[in-house]
Amino acid sequence: MADTKREIERKYEGPPAGGDAPLPDLTDVPGVSGVIDKGVAELDATYYDTADQRLATASLTLRRRTGGDDAGWHLKLPVSEGVRDEIRAPLSDTVPEDLTALVRSRIREAELVPVVRLLSARDIRHLVDASGTLLAEVSVDRVRAERLSGGAGSAEWTEIEVELADDGDPAFLDKVEKKLRKAGIKRSASASKLAKALDDTAPRKQEKPEKAEKSGKAGKPGKAGKAGTTGKVADVSKATTKAAKPEPPDSTPRTAGDHILTYARAQRDAIVELDPAVRRDVPDSVHRMRVATRRLRSTFRSYGKILDRTVTDPIGVELKWLAAELGVDRDQEVLTEHLTTALDDLPSDLVTGPVQARLSTWSGARRSGSRQHLIAVLDGKRYLDLLTTLDTLVAGPPLREAASKKPEKVIAKAVRKDFEKVADLVGEALELPSGSERDLAMHDARKKAKRTRYAAEAATPALGDPAADLVKSMKSLQTLLGDHQDSVMVRGALRELATEAHEAGENAFTYGVLYGRAEQRAAAVEAELPGEWEAIEDKGAV
């Protein structure tokens, strides 16, 4: 089984390979009472990637290493600058399946092959405080890199690493860096040893600019199948493009198409990047991935004047499917949280029978099954095909004529159209009496408010404060209507729990008390909605 370690470290440049790499006296660093020489470890690491280096492009590293005190397989996932999660698995001859699954959203069906071998002589020192507690590990690494695929180059260099001890204060690294800088030691220009190795051993061949032109293939997006409920995906490459191609993702958005594509790319990236976290069951990861999926689908629907819906609608079907699959786990999480909180808030004299035990059993049984199902979904062809289709779409977007126009008119019109639909749905809900029909109407209004919020998010870089204000208004409305929908779901779960308890011969009184409280919360929301909506309507859309 793989385990995880949070790694916080900084890398610094050393002198040329073969030269001396003196460190300053680190006992002068505030908090350090001693520097313990731990000797030299000989490390032998082989890094794996796809032939086109998809992991390296995403700043991921996968290696098999021997030597030192942590021999085995290591997958490093970036968290933030200088912070990575290292997933470890025991030593084996082939890449462990657990680690392959964590990079599936990047590699898809591509093979993982050895790309670089690094041989390192690691001179290790431990920085400890007065009690002997480890503060950080400082190592001077003399590295030799050998290219294993895509060339046959080699390189040598020396670098210095400072890794914070487990549960250490990241501010301590600033103190060490201050000392190193005074000694003339500067941060490494490379994010990792692998990045430097790939760069230093890459073939240095002069490109022939006419080659791509003669081939007639440059710039053509790839193909995928047609989308639908079968799980096949849309042929984006055949979409009619009437506007000029968008700016590259890192350029300043100017046209309406630029702005919407920037937002769409960000959601595609979020889905891919969150995949490993969802597989590892990182808190809130399922919710965040589901939100990115919904944002992207909403973008396709709201901005049909910019992106051709004959292409995006089938992809939207697949995104809806993925959101539903992600929702199986997420909805169970939310329900359990609400029920647990409600139970905790009850006076002890209103709790009769093994309510907490039944709730735990009920929740665990449902989540266990849905968790296994979700992992199967992420390993399935339908999901991987969807990711490939999204790649193809953002590389060759199906832009319509309006995409080349200024965003102030095109984007603002789309947002106003969504806002008008919200107004209609809220009005319908307010006209209905309390009951199941109003519950459904308020749920529809909530979904439309969410879509309008996402449309306004995409519009904010182009439209500024008016769009940002609308995001806040829709978020407020969405929260209020969400509280109501939560009450509806909680009451349904309580009916189910009460039935199970009754059939088991348990007292169902507490479930009835909780049901009544949930009903009161729904009534309070319904009473608050008219005033909330009046305030939002007064502000208007963009």
Side-chain angles (χ1 to χ4, degrees), residues 359-532:
L359 174 57
S360 298
T361 302
W362 173 84
S363 175
R366 282 153 182 76
R367 190 166 192 277
S368 176
S370 63
R371 175 93 195 138
Q372 293 170 4
H373 176 73
L374 178 56
I375 297 302
V377 167
L378 297 183
D379 286 334
K381 185 176 185 298
R382 183 173 183 178
Y383 168 70
L384 297 176
D385 283 349
L386 173 58
L387 296 185
T388 299
T389 302
L390 295 177
D391 291 344
T392 304
L393 182 134
V394 298
L399 298 175
R400 299 185 65 190
E401 188 174 357
S404 61
K405 297 180 179 179
K406 293 182 178 181
E408 291 79 10
K409 294 183 66 175
V410 179
I411 293 179
K413 184 177 180 180
V415 174
R416 285 195 296 270
K417 184 177 180 181
D418 278 348
F419 181 80
E420 290 167 1
K421 291 178 180 178
V422 174
D424 290 342
L425 289 172
V426 171
E428 290 175 13
L430 291 175
E431 291 176 358
L432 293 169
S434 293
S436 59
E437 287 190 23
R438 175 178 265 197
D439 291 344
L440 289 173
M442 292 179 70
H443 184 45
D444 287 341
R446 174 177 176 255
K447 290 189 291 184
K448 190 63 68 176
K450 189 183 300 184
R451 173 175 159 182
T452 305
R453 172 189 166 188
Y454 296 154
E457 283 179 355
T460 297
L463 306 183
D465 289 343
D469 290 342
L470 183 58
V471 171
K472 294 177 183 177
S473 294
M474 290 297 100
K475 186 175 182 179
S476 176
L477 178 63
Q478 179 187 331
T479 299
L480 184 65
L481 294 174
D483 289 344
H484 186 274
Q485 179 62 15
D486 288 342
S487 171
V488 173
M489 298 302 293
V490 163
R491 281 178 278 162
L494 287 169
R495 282 193 296 269
E496 183 179 338
L497 284 163
T499 299
E500 291 180 2
H502 177 73
E503 291 175 350
E506 298 166 6
N507 192 323
F509 170 76
T510 300
Y511 304 105
V513 173
L514 292 172
Y515 189 98
R517 289 192 168 199
E519 203 168 36
Q520 288 177 348
R521 285 196 296 275
V525 170
E526 292 180 23
E528 186 180 347
L529 179 59
E532 174 79 10

Side-chain angles (χ1 to χ4, degrees), residues 18-151:
D20 293 331
L23 288 170
D25 183 3
L26 297 176
T27 57
D28 291 345
V29 175
V32 175
S33 293
V35 179
I36 303 174
D37 190 340
K38 304 297 288 185
V40 177
E42 299 293 337
L43 308 176
D44 186 345
T46 299
Y47 287 77
Y48 285 70
D49 204 339
T50 59
D52 54 358
Q53 298 177 12
R54 298 178 193 180
L55 299 187
T57 299
S59 299
L60 305 178
T61 60
L62 174 63
R63 72 186 178 203
R64 180 187 187 276
R65 190 167 79 180
T66 57
D69 58 4
D70 63 346
W73 286 90
H74 306 151
L75 171 64
K76 298 193 178 187
L77 307 172
V79 176
S80 58
E81 184 178 0
V83 182
R84 293 184 293 185
D85 278 343
E86 183 176 271
I87 319 298
R88 298 177 175 179
L91 204 59
S92 61
D93 292 335
T94 57
V95 182
E97 291 184 6
D98 287 353
L99 300 190
T100 301
L102 292 177
V103 297
R104 181 67 66 200
S105 66
R106 299 289 185 182
I107 67 172
R108 313 291 163 78
E109 299 301 325
E111 182 183 4
L112 289 168
V113 297
V115 292
V116 166
R117 184 184 184 191
L118 296 183
L119 302 172
S120 304
R122 170 164 289 182
D123 190 356
I124 305 169
R125 295 166 178 80
H126 282 182
L127 307 186
V128 298
D129 63 14
S131 67
T133 300
L134 179 65
L135 299 172
E137 179 177 285
V138 180
S139 63
V140 179
D141 294 346
R142 291 177 173 84
V143 186
R144 174 176 173 78
E146 300 173 357
R147 190 86 170 202
L148 301 179
S149 65

